[in-house]
Amino acid sequence: LDTRQTGRLALTATPGKTGFAGGPEGATAGFNQAYLGPTIVMQNGDLDAELRNALDEPVSAHWHGLLVPGEHDGGPHLPIAPGAVWRPAMTIAQDPATIWYHSHIHERTAKQVYFGLAGVIHLTDGRDDDRGLPSDYGLDDLTLVLQDRRFDQAGRMVYNPSMMDVMHGFAGNRMLVNGQAGATAVVPQGMVRLRLLNGANARICTLFFDDARPMHLVATDGGFVAEPIALKMLRLSPGERAEVLVDFAEGGAPILLSDPGQAYGVMQFAVDPRLTARITSIPDQLDGVVDDLPLADAGTRQVSLDMGMGGMGGMGMGGMGMGGRGMGSMGMGRGGFGINGRPYDMRRIDFRVALGSVEKWRIRSTMVAHPFHVHGIRFRVLSENGGPPRPENTGWKDTVLVAGETEIIARFDQPAREDTPFMFHCHILEHEDAGMMGQFTVT
Ligand code: C2O
Ligand code: CU
Ligand code: CU
């Protein structure tokens, strides 16, 4: 969907039926289609969006990575009722980035995203040629939504989280790329840009090419990095995006993109020498990161991502091994999930941030690693467990995997009122729905 000329965007949350990998069809949902939504290409400027809901349950459209005020953010306070329309009139003014959108109804996000209510946004400024970056959509600029999904014996996609699935996040047994199992991309014999989105509910991907060819990281969640970073492995947790350049000049046999711990590859790339490669080298420099956040006068906020807390009416630590009770996908038990000791409560504002202020957040994880996401800002990672951030985390981020202690810094430039606050949460969607989320205003 190209909105650059019109400044208009129309999306309808639609019921669908989809079969995957030759399996039987089952109920899915998408935006404008049966599963997932269209890739939206947009530029800075005014955007009049129109979101319709043709499903029989409330949905929302959260723009994950777009810097817009709380009233346009599409979080849990902005549900679109069945049959209703939501018309946010937005002004976009930020650096080019790969962004995504997904439904964000409290206690339903995991299930709704799982069955397809998500899509990708390319925010572009039309200057990628000057940067020496591939930008021919679908030719040398590929959008890859990575999602693991669970299939039963009959090949039907299922979502039936047990208590253990909620504890660990719901894991699949097959990887889908753009809704396809066993995907192959045909690429030109040159430089190809991959815009990778981890759109899984819980799976942390560790991506590498089987022939060990490097991935040159050019952009993270919130925009370009300062210069390309060559990686043999790229870790991408749920909600995170990365843009990498991969050189397919050396072709030959299909090239497998893998993820260890998966009994199967993620997808294959087949080089077609008849396709012309426009770009054949890696740019030396990009215009991404400017260090302009005043570290010295930033106040520090502590954020603890809690699970297994006792005395919250959940199962606590003692109940972990029990398995037993199945969790209804709509009404998950708490399981001791929360932030700073409290489960999410839509009626409680957890804290208030001053508009235009810079804050440092010290985030701590408990029990497992948690992909931590904040609405309304892009941030820099200052440190991870006392050391410098890993290469993947040196650019602008809005989601970061916290395993231990991570410090971030951000300026809060977008306003959010009490009735439409910004969320901060774990992007393991089962954790989020179970209460590992909080909300804040910016005024
Ligand atoms: Cu991608 Cu609050 O979410
Ligand atoms: Cu978000
Ligand atoms: Cu989590």
Side-chain angles (χ1 to χ4, degrees):
L1 265 186
D2 201 325
T3 69
R4 284 171 296 179
Q5 303 308 317
T6 58
R8 305 194 69 80
L9 170 65
L11 293 173
T12 303
T14 314
K17 281 211 169 299
T18 312
F20 298 89
E25 289 191 333
T28 53
F31 289 101
N32 298 3
Q33 57 196 37
Y35 182 78
L36 297 178
T39 297
I40 301 162
V41 183
M42 61 170 74
Q43 252 171 8
N44 280 343
D46 293 337
L47 182 70
D48 291 320
E50 188 174 88
L51 281 299
R52 287 173 191 280
N53 182 7
L55 298 172
D56 57 11
E57 60 182 291
V59 300
S60 81
H62 166 56
W63 321 105
H64 179 141
L66 267 196
L67 302 172
V68 293
E71 63 188 304
H72 297 151
D73 187 54
H77 294 265
L78 289 159
I80 309 165
V85 191
W86 178 51
R87 291 194 180 83
M90 301 185 278
T91 302
I92 319 253
Q94 65 185 80
D95 289 343
T98 300
I99 291 161
W100 66 306
Y101 58 100
H102 60 80
S103 191
H104 208 311
I105 298 295
H106 185 46
E107 295 181 330
R108 296 179 190 236
T109 301
K111 182 175 173 243
Q112 291 186 337
V113 171
Y114 189 89
F115 282 103
L117 287 175
V120 176
I121 295 173
H122 294 186
L123 181 67
T124 171
D125 62 1
R127 293 184 35 231
D128 282 344
D129 281 350
D130 304 342
R131 295 187 181 94
L133 291 176
S135 59
D136 270 348
Y137 178 74
L139 294 171
D140 60 10
D141 181 358
L142 307 183
T143 304
L144 305 173
V145 181
L146 313 181
Q147 301 175 307
D148 63 334
R149 293 292 183 259
R150 195 178 293 180
F151 292 90
D152 67 11
Q153 294 281 311
R156 192 184 307 272
M157 191 170 84
V158 292
Y159 187 69
N160 50 1
S162 67
M163 193 176 283
M164 284 307 279
D165 288 326
V166 175
M167 292 301 290
H168 298 291
F170 191 78
N173 49 16
R174 288 214 72 165
M175 192 64 108
L176 303 183
V177 178
N178 299 344
Q180 274 190 292
T184 299
V186 177
V187 291
Q189 201 163 5
M191 213 56 78
V192 175
R193 176 184 191 170
L194 307 179
R195 299 178 189 246
L196 300 161
L197 159 67
N198 185 335
N201 278 33
R203 178 174 185 76
I204 297 160
C205 296
T206 306
L207 301 166
F208 65 93
F209 281 94
D210 271 22
D211 63 0
R213 71 182 62 207
M215 292 169 270
H216 301 269
L217 182 72
V218 294
T220 52
D221 304 335
F224 295 119
V225 294
E227 52 192 46
I229 302 168
L231 299 172
K232 285 266 185 270
M233 281 218 189
L234 170 71
R235 194 184 67 186
L236 207 61
S237 70
E240 289 185 297
R241 290 85 69 211
E243 295 182 29
V244 298
L245 300 188
V246 180
D247 189 352
F248 289 106
E250 308 281 313
I255 301 134
L256 196 63
L257 181 63
S258 293
D259 183 354
Q262 292 286 82
Y264 42 84
V266 173
M267 67 177 293
Q268 288 195 335
F269 293 85
V271 176
D272 184 343
R274 290 164 305 178
L275 298 175
T276 33
R278 286 192 319 130
I279 310 269
T280 51
S281 64
I282 310 276
D284 299 329
Q285 211 117 60
L286 292 156
D287 51 348
V289 171
V290 197
D291 276 299
D292 65 344
L293 295 171
L295 194 51
D297 35 76
T300 301
R301 206 179 280 284
Q302 311 282 344
V303 177
S304 146
L305 306 173
D306 303 322
M307 60 189 283
M309 294 184 291
M312 282 180 46
M315 57 190 167
M317 296 287 292
M320 270 186 65
M322 301 302 287
R325 184 168 69 90
M327 295 269 197
S329 46
M330 292 300 161
M332 277 171 192
R334 288 287 177 197
F337 290 89
I339 292 186
N340 292 342
R342 297 192 291 194
Y344 179 66
D345 183 343
M346 280 189 81
R347 295 155 305 182
R348 183 189 69 234
I349 299 295
D350 292 283
F351 50 82
R352 293 161 201 281
V353 175
L355 184 63
S357 66
V358 175
E359 291 195 359
K360 220 161 88 176
W361 289 16
R362 187 171 299 136
I363 308 137
R364 279 201 196 85
S365 64
T366 53
M367 293 181 69
V368 297
H370 301 279
F372 180 70
H373 170 52
V374 190
H375 291 210
I377 56 165
R378 59 178 191 171
F379 57 75
R380 301 291 308 280
V381 178
L382 291 173
S383 70
E384 294 186 86
N385 296 319
R390 48 191 292 139
E392 289 99 319
N393 293 339
T394 50
W396 287 110
K397 299 287 295 167
D398 56 47
T399 308
V400 64
L401 187 66
V402 177
E405 185 182 283
T406 301
E407 285 184 302
I408 63 170
I409 186 167
R411 179 181 286 113
F412 293 77
D413 286 327
Q414 295 294 330
R417 298 183 314 247
E418 195 136 338
D419 58 341
T420 48
F422 284 137
M423 303 296 125
F424 59 106
H425 60 87
C426 176
H427 222 288
I428 291 177
L429 299 179
E430 287 76 23
H431 291 182
E432 174 192 331
D433 278 345
M436 197 180 284
M437 179 156 74
Q439 52 188 12
F440 62 100
T441 59
V442 183
T443 53

